[in-house]
Amino acid sequence: MSTPFYVSPQQAMADRAEYARKGIARGRSLVVLQYADGIVFVGENPSRALHKFSEIYDRIGFAAAGKYNEYENLRIGGVRYADLRGYTYDRGDVTARGLANVYAQTLGTIFSSVGEKPYEVELVVAEVGETPEADQIYRLPHDGSIVDEHGSVAVGGNAETISSYLDQRHRDGMTLAEALRLAVQSLSRDTNGSEREIPAERLEVAVLDRTRPQKRKFRRITGARLSRLLAEGSGDTTAQSSTEDDSEE
């Protein structure tokens, strides 16, 4: 009778972590930044149907990098949790911190389970407050840990290089156009230091806008509005204005 091959728990966890990190690294990066009036989500995404960013609840947004089917399941679970808690208690009881804890438990359980592979996803849960100081941004890696972020955060394939770039250039009180331009510049940087151009039609952009009068603060920015903001951020004063409004969810 053959003896089963032994793998130490430490080595098994290290192998699972490496597997998840490699899967996440194959996906496109995305960034989440605070600006004066809220929080902006920016990522390179050629698909108009498979979104990286979504609304979870009134003031809460969701961003994810990695395998789409896995983070879409998590997004749907988050929406159900938020709706149930808001209906059972109060809408104000639905918070990004509570949602991050739910996601952390789910990811941690899957990561430590022997019977299934770890999720190849990295999440960001953000909540816009009444003031910039009240904004909350949480990053959740594949192992279910929670990282409280401030100012800016990057996840996905080239996250380390992008995070370093953002840390040096992001500042409090930026306008939406300035934050959007900085986000695009950071996403355009490759690991070897070279830069490439990302056209507006390949960008997915959404914001949590604290200045909106309605309870739902999430909206997508597309089309002429996106092009105009990119032009403003680059200092191009020749960009023509458009009457096209932002698309909303």
PDB file of all heavy atoms in Angstrom, residues 36 59 127-135 210-211 217:
ATOM      1  N   ALA A  36     -12.508  65.374  -5.125  1.00  0.00           N
ATOM      2  CA  ALA A  36     -13.168  66.331  -4.234  1.00  0.00           C
ATOM      3  C   ALA A  36     -14.623  65.986  -3.968  1.00  0.00           C
ATOM      4  O   ALA A  36     -15.102  66.108  -2.839  1.00  0.00           O
ATOM      5  CB  ALA A  36     -13.050  67.746  -4.817  1.00  0.00           C
ATOM      6  N   ARG A  59     -24.930  54.268  -1.622  1.00  0.00           N
ATOM      7  CA  ARG A  59     -23.643  54.971  -1.610  1.00  0.00           C
ATOM      8  C   ARG A  59     -22.457  54.053  -1.834  1.00  0.00           C
ATOM      9  O   ARG A  59     -21.320  54.473  -1.661  1.00  0.00           O
ATOM     10  CB  ARG A  59     -23.452  55.694  -0.259  1.00  0.00           C
ATOM     11  CG  ARG A  59     -24.427  56.838  -0.019  1.00  0.00           C
ATOM     12  CD  ARG A  59     -24.259  57.432   1.384  1.00  0.00           C
ATOM     13  NE  ARG A  59     -24.958  58.706   1.504  1.00  0.00           N
ATOM     14  CZ  ARG A  59     -24.443  59.890   1.229  1.00  0.00           C
ATOM     15  NH1 ARG A  59     -23.184  59.974   0.833  1.00  0.00           N
ATOM     16  NH2 ARG A  59     -25.139  60.984   1.349  1.00  0.00           N
ATOM     17  N   GLU A 127     -17.413  53.296  -0.379  1.00  0.00           N
ATOM     18  CA  GLU A 127     -18.612  54.017   0.043  1.00  0.00           C
ATOM     19  C   GLU A 127     -18.298  55.500   0.105  1.00  0.00           C
ATOM     20  O   GLU A 127     -17.314  55.909   0.741  1.00  0.00           O
ATOM     21  CB  GLU A 127     -19.093  53.525   1.410  1.00  0.00           C
ATOM     22  CG  GLU A 127     -20.317  54.270   1.914  1.00  0.00           C
ATOM     23  CD  GLU A 127     -20.805  53.768   3.262  1.00  0.00           C
ATOM     24  OE1 GLU A 127     -20.234  52.770   3.765  1.00  0.00           O
ATOM     25  OE2 GLU A 127     -21.744  54.361   3.814  1.00  0.00           O
ATOM     26  N   VAL A 128     -19.111  56.319  -0.540  1.00  0.00           N
ATOM     27  CA  VAL A 128     -18.914  57.764  -0.518  1.00  0.00           C
ATOM     28  C   VAL A 128     -19.664  58.345   0.673  1.00  0.00           C
ATOM     29  O   VAL A 128     -20.813  57.990   0.945  1.00  0.00           O
ATOM     30  CB  VAL A 128     -19.387  58.401  -1.843  1.00  0.00           C
ATOM     31  CG1 VAL A 128     -20.892  58.270  -2.040  1.00  0.00           C
ATOM     32  CG2 VAL A 128     -18.958  59.858  -1.924  1.00  0.00           C
ATOM     33  N   GLY A 129     -19.007  59.211   1.421  1.00  0.00           N
ATOM     34  CA  GLY A 129     -19.606  59.826   2.591  1.00  0.00           C
ATOM     35  C   GLY A 129     -20.083  61.238   2.303  1.00  0.00           C
ATOM     36  O   GLY A 129     -19.990  61.743   1.182  1.00  0.00           O
ATOM     37  N   GLU A 130     -20.580  61.901   3.347  1.00  0.00           N
ATOM     38  CA  GLU A 130     -21.026  63.285   3.200  1.00  0.00           C
ATOM     39  C   GLU A 130     -19.854  64.222   2.950  1.00  0.00           C
ATOM     40  O   GLU A 130     -20.006  65.281   2.339  1.00  0.00           O
ATOM     41  CB  GLU A 130     -21.787  63.729   4.456  1.00  0.00           C
ATOM     42  CG  GLU A 130     -23.077  62.949   4.723  1.00  0.00           C
ATOM     43  CD  GLU A 130     -24.140  63.227   3.676  1.00  0.00           C
ATOM     44  OE1 GLU A 130     -24.047  64.255   2.976  1.00  0.00           O
ATOM     45  OE2 GLU A 130     -25.072  62.401   3.547  1.00  0.00           O
ATOM     46  N   THR A 131     -18.678  63.842   3.439  1.00  0.00           N
ATOM     47  CA  THR A 131     -17.453  64.617   3.247  1.00  0.00           C
ATOM     48  C   THR A 131     -16.346  63.669   2.790  1.00  0.00           C
ATOM     49  O   THR A 131     -16.452  62.446   2.984  1.00  0.00           O
ATOM     50  CB  THR A 131     -17.023  65.305   4.547  1.00  0.00           C
ATOM     51  OG1 THR A 131     -16.699  64.294   5.529  1.00  0.00           O
ATOM     52  CG2 THR A 131     -18.141  66.202   5.089  1.00  0.00           C
ATOM     53  N   PRO A 132     -15.268  64.191   2.204  1.00  0.00           N
ATOM     54  CA  PRO A 132     -14.161  63.313   1.801  1.00  0.00           C
ATOM     55  C   PRO A 132     -13.590  62.508   2.958  1.00  0.00           C
ATOM     56  O   PRO A 132     -13.144  61.371   2.765  1.00  0.00           O
ATOM     57  CB  PRO A 132     -13.133  64.289   1.227  1.00  0.00           C
ATOM     58  CG  PRO A 132     -13.939  65.456   0.752  1.00  0.00           C
ATOM     59  CD  PRO A 132     -15.069  65.583   1.725  1.00  0.00           C
ATOM     60  N   GLU A 133     -13.588  63.072   4.160  1.00  0.00           N
ATOM     61  CA  GLU A 133     -13.044  62.365   5.319  1.00  0.00           C
ATOM     62  C   GLU A 133     -13.884  61.144   5.678  1.00  0.00           C
ATOM     63  O   GLU A 133     -13.391  60.218   6.326  1.00  0.00           O
ATOM     64  CB  GLU A 133     -12.961  63.312   6.518  1.00  0.00           C
ATOM     65  CG  GLU A 133     -11.946  64.439   6.386  1.00  0.00           C
ATOM     66  CD  GLU A 133     -12.387  65.537   5.436  1.00  0.00           C
ATOM     67  OE1 GLU A 133     -13.608  65.651   5.171  1.00  0.00           O
ATOM     68  OE2 GLU A 133     -11.513  66.285   4.951  1.00  0.00           O
ATOM     69  N   ALA A 134     -15.150  61.141   5.279  1.00  0.00           N
ATOM     70  CA  ALA A 134     -16.038  60.023   5.590  1.00  0.00           C
ATOM     71  C   ALA A 134     -16.044  58.939   4.521  1.00  0.00           C
ATOM     72  O   ALA A 134     -16.712  57.910   4.684  1.00  0.00           O
ATOM     73  CB  ALA A 134     -17.457  60.541   5.811  1.00  0.00           C
ATOM     74  N   ASP A 135     -15.318  59.139   3.416  1.00  0.00           N
ATOM     75  CA  ASP A 135     -15.243  58.118   2.372  1.00  0.00           C
ATOM     76  C   ASP A 135     -14.541  56.868   2.904  1.00  0.00           C
ATOM     77  O   ASP A 135     -13.636  56.956   3.738  1.00  0.00           O
ATOM     78  CB  ASP A 135     -14.463  58.643   1.160  1.00  0.00           C
ATOM     79  CG  ASP A 135     -15.214  59.734   0.414  1.00  0.00           C
ATOM     80  OD1 ASP A 135     -16.422  59.895   0.654  1.00  0.00           O
ATOM     81  OD2 ASP A 135     -14.583  60.424  -0.409  1.00  0.00           O
ATOM     82  N   ARG A 210     -20.987  62.415  -4.450  1.00  0.00           N
ATOM     83  CA  ARG A 210     -21.674  62.834  -3.241  1.00  0.00           C
ATOM     84  C   ARG A 210     -22.577  64.047  -3.467  1.00  0.00           C
ATOM     85  O   ARG A 210     -23.440  64.346  -2.646  1.00  0.00           O
ATOM     86  CB  ARG A 210     -20.651  63.127  -2.143  1.00  0.00           C
ATOM     87  CG  ARG A 210     -19.988  64.455  -2.204  1.00  0.00           C
ATOM     88  CD  ARG A 210     -19.042  64.724  -1.028  1.00  0.00           C
ATOM     89  NE  ARG A 210     -17.683  64.332  -1.372  1.00  0.00           N
ATOM     90  CZ  ARG A 210     -17.112  63.247  -0.909  1.00  0.00           C
ATOM     91  NH1 ARG A 210     -17.766  62.436  -0.095  1.00  0.00           N
ATOM     92  NH2 ARG A 210     -15.881  62.940  -1.270  1.00  0.00           N
ATOM     93  N   THR A 211     -22.417  64.757  -4.596  1.00  0.00           N
ATOM     94  CA  THR A 211     -23.208  65.960  -4.860  1.00  0.00           C
ATOM     95  C   THR A 211     -24.558  65.647  -5.497  1.00  0.00           C
ATOM     96  O   THR A 211     -25.378  66.556  -5.649  1.00  0.00           O
ATOM     97  CB  THR A 211     -22.438  66.914  -5.780  1.00  0.00           C
ATOM     98  OG1 THR A 211     -22.237  66.298  -7.073  1.00  0.00           O
ATOM     99  CG2 THR A 211     -21.084  67.277  -5.185  1.00  0.00           C
ATOM    100  N   LYS A 217     -25.932  57.273  -5.498  1.00  0.00           N
ATOM    101  CA  LYS A 217     -24.806  58.129  -5.879  1.00  0.00           C
ATOM    102  C   LYS A 217     -23.982  57.562  -7.039  1.00  0.00           C
ATOM    103  O   LYS A 217     -23.092  58.243  -7.546  1.00  0.00           O
ATOM    104  CB  LYS A 217     -23.887  58.341  -4.669  1.00  0.00           C
ATOM    105  CG  LYS A 217     -24.596  58.883  -3.432  1.00  0.00           C
ATOM    106  CD  LYS A 217     -25.245  60.227  -3.686  1.00  0.00           C
ATOM    107  CE  LYS A 217     -25.892  60.771  -2.420  1.00  0.00           C
ATOM    108  NZ  LYS A 217     -26.580  62.065  -2.662  1.00  0.00           N
TER     109      LYS A 217
END
